[in-house]
Amino acid sequence: MAERLTREPDIRAIAFDYAIEPSLLLDPHADAIIDANPAACTLLGYDRMTLREIKISALHAGQLPALIVFTQAVLAKGSYWTRTLTPRHATGQPLQLEYAGALLPQGERTLIVLTMSNLEERRRRHVDADADDYMHDGLKAWQRVERVFQDIERENQLILRAAGEGIYGVNAEGKATFVNPAAERMLGWTAEELVGREIHAIMHHSHADGSHYPDHDCPIYAAFRDGAIHNVDNEVFWRKDGTPVWVEYTSTPIRDRHMVVGAVIVFRDVSQRREADEKLHAALTEVDRLRERLELENAYLQEEIRIETNPRGIIGQSAAIQKTLRQVKLVAPTTAAVLITGESGTGKELIARAIHEASGRRDRPLIRVNCAAIPRELFESEFFGHVRGAFTGAVRDRIGRFELANGGTLFLDEVGEIPLELQGKLLRVLQEGNFERVGEERTREVDVRVIAATNRNLKQEVARGRFREDLYFRLNVFPVESVPLRDRREDIPLLAQHFLLSEKLKSDLRLSEGDARRLSRYDWPGNVRELQNVIERAVILAQNGRLRIDLPDAAGPQTASGIGRSKTDARPAVMTSSELRDHERSNILAALQATSGKVFGPGGAAELLDIKPTTLASRMKALGIEATRERAG
């Protein structure tokens, strides 16, 4: 065509050559400049022949994506304009131009006529014209601002329509100037409904909780007040139907002649991501809760392993043991509360474990609480847990034993030691299945089976006002008696041999018939616990492969203690004060001997004598008894 225009200077060639606006004739498919008019040569700084040899992409080095968008827009629509392309002058300087492209069909070829306008020159003309306008009429400034937003919308029309993010513009009055299709889809408003209206009052008027969002706090408006870019990632826009959509957005100020005249807002819907984050946070919180519970369970079980001294099964063939095993078999499948009574050291915890392991709760832990070892002021925290700051020293949340036993079994050993003021709270959780941690108002629900044990006569404790009657009836649904060792003497050799072979002793010594007879004749006031201690001591004292059983003489104070414990209707003899003192001293010495000198705590002499530890200490002082010396002897 260029050759035809050269050979046949018709009116179109003359118009092209003498046009005031710089123009290029392009073949977009060949990436070629077919021709250039003199005005274009002057603007670009190349002669005509040089321009015909330059590729379009070479003239716009580094701008290929924008060049493709522009040419595709012209091909698709027939005409299009842009200011995003900056060709290089022959001297290497970028030119700020406005391109207007139009299709020129030529048979099978499709060419583009490109008209270029020098923006720098246009701005200089506008400066002069606008200076006069500002002096005479403030309306010109408003028109110029409108023109700025119209230029943004026209220049980026393809991008605005193709973008997946919502995009809209606001002027300095907070009124919408344009809205792209993605924003319309996300918000439910059409561009016609938003343009020209104060957009904050329409879709950004409230926080997510429904509280009022003043426009002077709005980061979108702040962008054209302070001229800074504002990024927000945790707010809501309100749809036309009144539902919120969680968004993250960027509000970028728009300047004209160094003045901020509005802002362009780009936002995206992050509702699904936020929902996923909330679910993840909830899952992590649950994982932390379960991890804490697992750690506590593990720590508890490790503690149980350390303090466990009894065998993990009920040993014996006596009628009394067989009766106990039948009771275990009957009650284990139920959820009924069980009260195990019996003297100290008879294996009440073993019975509790047997019930738990034969129940449907065997996959959850059996949590043991020694009520006699908990300080009075810590009972509630031990049972129900506490939150951080509930009292001095509560530096973190703590799970109580009831919550730890949820789904399993809670074994309350020495339940008669629970303070009277806490018994009401214990009764409530047994009746209603819920409780509150210390320092927390939230009510928590638990599913716990309770097995209690005591060496006290709780009926007498109720009569004395030291134990709640309603709690006693709640615990005593199914009573089980743990019989003393002296009432099942035929089991003593079996138990002794079991202790010899236990993991703790790992002894290859065996019990002789004489040893078995001697053990069976003894009354065992300390029951199975005392038998275990005697066997352990016998292994330590063993000589030449024979056990050395160390027991008090049958006529000694220990036998007297055993006789004193047996049921009899005989009328006691009257003793003098001196005899009574000697009898009390002998009784205390027997208790200390049975407990290896232990005075306080579970299995101690105070527990064996059924008196308070402080009372026992006082009597020992008065009688001149020292626990250490007696233990050594």
Side-chain angles (χ1 to χ4, degrees):
M1 178 181 178
E3 294 176 357
R4 183 170 60 81
L5 287 173
T6 305
R7 294 195 309 269
E8 302 174 6
D10 57 14
I11 190 66
R12 286 175 295 176
I14 294 172
F16 181 78
D17 284 343
Y18 287 94
I20 297 175
E21 293 289 340
S23 301
L24 296 176
L25 187 60
L26 309 177
D27 183 348
H29 300 291
D31 191 20
I33 300 174
I34 305 299
D35 204 357
N37 70 355
C41 294
T42 302
L43 175 64
L44 298 173
Y46 296 97
D47 60 59
R48 197 164 191 168
M49 291 304 296
T50 302
L51 277 174
R52 289 175 179 173
E53 296 174 357
I54 296 176
K55 292 185 176 294
I56 305 171
S57 57
L59 190 63
H60 302 86
Q63 306 171 58
L64 186 58
L67 182 62
I68 292 173
V69 170
F70 172 69
T71 55
Q72 291 298 319
V74 175
L75 294 173
K77 297 190 173 188
S79 63
Y80 195 70
W81 73 277
T82 185
R83 292 179 180 174
T84 59
L85 293 168
T86 54
R88 296 280 179 177
H89 190 270
T91 60
Q93 295 296 320
L95 298 172
Q96 299 296 321
L97 305 180
E98 178 181 278
Y99 282 5
L103 279 182
L104 182 62
Q106 291 291 311
E108 295 182 356
R109 298 176 69 190
T110 301
L111 305 180
I112 294 176
V113 176
L114 178 65
T115 302
M116 300 176 287
S117 300
N118 192 330
L119 293 178
E120 290 296 328
E121 185 178 344
R122 183 188 296 179
R123 288 193 183 99
R124 285 195 294 271
R125 292 199 304 268
H126 284 175
V127 168
D128 296 337
D130 287 342
D132 294 337
D133 290 342
Y134 273 115
M135 288 191 303
H136 296 94
D137 192 355
L139 184 62
K140 293 294 184 182
W142 178 83
Q143 290 174 339
R144 190 177 70 257
V145 171
E146 290 297 307
R147 188 167 63 247
V148 169
F149 282 101
Q150 289 169 4
D151 289 349
I152 292 172
E153 187 175 15
R154 282 201 311 271
E155 184 174 340
N156 298 284
Q157 187 175 14
L158 275 181
I159 297 174
L160 291 173
R161 289 187 176 279
E165 290 87 359
I167 306 172
Y168 66 89
V170 291
N171 60 22
E173 297 176 357
K175 295 180 179 180
T177 56
F178 64 84
V179 180
N180 80 333
E184 292 178 310
R185 289 192 301 272
M186 281 188 266
L187 300 174
W189 304 92
T190 65
E192 290 75 13
E193 291 173 312
L194 294 177
V195 171
R197 297 177 62 187
E198 187 178 347
I199 202 160
H200 181 83
I202 296 174
M203 65 180 205
H204 203 206
H205 48 77
S206 302
H207 292 288
D209 59 4
S211 60
H212 179 59
Y213 199 153
D215 57 8
H216 58 75
D217 292 339
C218 177
I220 295 171
Y221 285 10
F224 51 80
R225 286 199 300 266
D226 57 22
I229 296 174
H230 290 260
N231 296 300
V232 178
D233 60 4
N234 193 30
E235 281 191 5
V236 296
F237 287 168
W238 296 90
R239 298 187 180 96
K240 186 178 181 179
D241 61 7
T243 59
V245 53
W246 285 95
V247 297
E248 63 179 20
Y249 64 83
T250 300
S251 180
T252 305
I254 300 300
R255 289 178 171 82
D256 180 50
R257 299 181 185 180
H258 307 293
M259 291 179 57
V260 178
V261 296
V264 171
I265 297 86
V266 179
F267 69 93
R268 61 168 54 93
D269 183 349
V270 294
S271 300
Q272 291 184 347
R273 188 182 73 190
R274 180 182 173 84
E275 182 180 354
D277 288 345
E278 289 177 348
K279 288 181 179 178
L280 178 61
H281 178 72
L284 291 175
T285 301
E286 179 67 9
V287 167
D288 287 341
R289 188 188 70 81
L290 293 174
R291 177 183 53 77
E292 181 184 6
R293 177 169 177 168
L294 185 61
E295 288 174 353
L296 287 171
E297 287 183 2
N298 184 58
Y300 169 79
L301 293 174
Q302 291 296 329
E303 179 185 356
E304 285 292 284
I305 291 171
R306 286 195 301 272
I307 67 174
E308 181 62 44
T309 57
N310 286 329
R312 303 297 289 181
I314 299 175
I315 307 297
Q317 298 176 348
S318 64
I321 284 297
Q322 295 306 312
K323 178 183 175 182
T324 299
L325 292 175
R326 286 194 297 271
Q327 288 180 305
V328 168
K329 186 176 180 181
L330 283 173
V331 76
T334 72
T335 59
V338 178
L339 179 61
I340 306 171
T341 57
E343 297 176 9
S344 178
T346 55
K348 295 187 286 295
E349 183 177 348
L350 282 179
I351 297 173
R353 290 189 182 278
I355 293 172
H356 172 74
E357 291 169 5
S359 73
R361 297 171 180 259
R362 69 180 67 88
D363 293 331
R364 296 293 303 146
L366 169 71
I367 302 300
R368 175 181 177 272
V369 182
N370 185 356
C371 301
I374 303 173
R376 177 178 294 267
E377 63 275 9
L378 295 181
F379 257 102
E380 190 171 1
S381 172
E382 187 72 19
F383 276 8
F384 308 126
H386 62 255
V387 296
R388 186 176 61 181
F391 49 83
T392 303
V395 295
R396 62 190 294 268
D397 291 358
R398 185 180 188 275
I399 293 178
R401 294 303 174 95
F402 266 95
E403 196 170 351
L404 196 59
N406 190 25
T409 305
L410 185 66
F411 176 52
L412 301 178
D413 197 10
E414 302 301 342
V415 70
E417 300 289 341
I418 298 177
L420 191 62
E421 61 271 19
L422 187 65
Q423 291 176 18
K425 293 185 178 182
L426 177 59
L427 180 64
R428 177 202 167 192
V429 72
L430 294 180
Q431 290 176 334
E432 302 176 10
N434 56 55
F435 67 94
E436 292 85 31
R437 289 183 182 177
V438 178
E440 184 180 57
E441 295 181 357
R442 172 188 168 190
T443 299
R444 299 172 183 267
E445 294 186 356
V446 287
D447 173 23
V448 173
R449 180 185 192 168
V450 172
I451 300 176
T454 182
N455 60 5
R456 293 188 179 187
N457 188 328
L458 289 188
K459 280 188 177 181
Q460 291 182 2
E461 295 294 294
V462 170
R464 295 168 182 167
R466 295 194 296 218
F467 201 84
R468 291 180 61 122
E469 186 176 32
D470 47 4
L471 178 58
Y472 170 70
F473 289 131
R474 174 65 62 175
L475 294 173
N476 195 36
V477 176
F478 191 89
V480 175
E481 183 184 3
S482 181
V483 295
L485 192 55
R486 62 181 172 275
D487 291 343
R488 54 184 186 109
R489 295 180 185 272
E490 59 267 45
D491 293 334
I492 293 175
L494 291 174
L495 287 167
Q497 191 62 42
H498 176 82
F499 293 139
L500 281 173
L501 300 175
S502 67
E503 187 70 20
K504 182 178 181 180
L505 296 182
K506 296 181 180 179
S507 173
D508 55 358
L509 299 173
R510 292 295 180 267
L511 205 66
S512 68
E513 290 186 10
D515 292 335
R517 285 195 298 270
R518 188 178 178 198
L519 291 173
S520 298
R521 286 197 300 267
Y522 184 58
D523 277 334
W524 300 106
N527 292 294
V528 178
R529 186 181 297 119
E530 183 184 4
L531 174 61
Q532 184 178 12
N533 292 340
V534 167
I535 296 300
E536 186 174 350
R537 187 161 60 246
V539 172
I540 295 172
L541 299 174
Q543 293 180 352
N544 301 321
R546 289 185 57 82
L547 292 171
R548 184 179 175 186
I549 305 295
D550 182 19
L551 286 175
D553 293 334
Q558 193 74 348
T559 304
S561 175
I563 295 172
R565 285 179 169 269
S566 63
K567 297 179 181 179
T568 177
D569 294 330
R571 187 173 181 178
V574 176
M575 291 183 287
T576 65
S577 175
S578 176
E579 289 174 337
L580 186 61
R581 180 183 176 88
D582 290 341
H583 178 77
E584 184 177 18
R585 178 182 174 84
S586 297
N587 198 38
I588 292 175
L589 288 172
L592 290 170
Q593 180 72 20
T595 58
S596 300
K598 184 178 180 181
V599 179
F600 307 109
E607 182 184 79
L608 191 61
L609 295 169
D610 197 19
I611 60 176
K612 292 183 178 179
T614 52
T615 302
L616 177 57
S618 209
R619 291 180 184 176
M620 289 172 61
K621 184 177 180 181
L623 295 169
I625 298 173
E626 295 184 9
T628 304
R629 189 180 67 243
E630 296 302 328
R631 183 166 63 250

